[in-house]
Amino acid sequence: MQRGTRKGFFQDILTLTKYLLFDSWQHLIHFMLNDLPLSPATDSS
């Protein structure tokens, strides 16, 4: 397993949360660790 820098880790989180909607922090971390597929976001408007 390849490890990056702490700064890179937080940049990855920023990018993911800027463009993708996660149900929880646990879902985000699970996605990052396991490359889980995302379900389509629902439009609540």
Side-chain angles (χ1 to χ4, degrees), residues 5-38:
T5 63
R6 179 181 170 99
K7 183 178 178 180
F9 172 74
F10 286 104
Q11 286 175 336
D12 290 346
I13 288 179
L14 177 63
T15 301
L16 287 171
T17 57
K18 187 173 184 177
Y19 296 105
L20 301 172
L21 179 62
F22 293 92
D23 295 331
S24 65
W25 283 106
Q26 183 177 9
H27 185 220
L28 168 65
I29 298 301
H30 230 212
F31 174 82
M32 291 176 70
L33 293 175
N34 302 311
D35 295 326
L36 294 176
L38 286 175

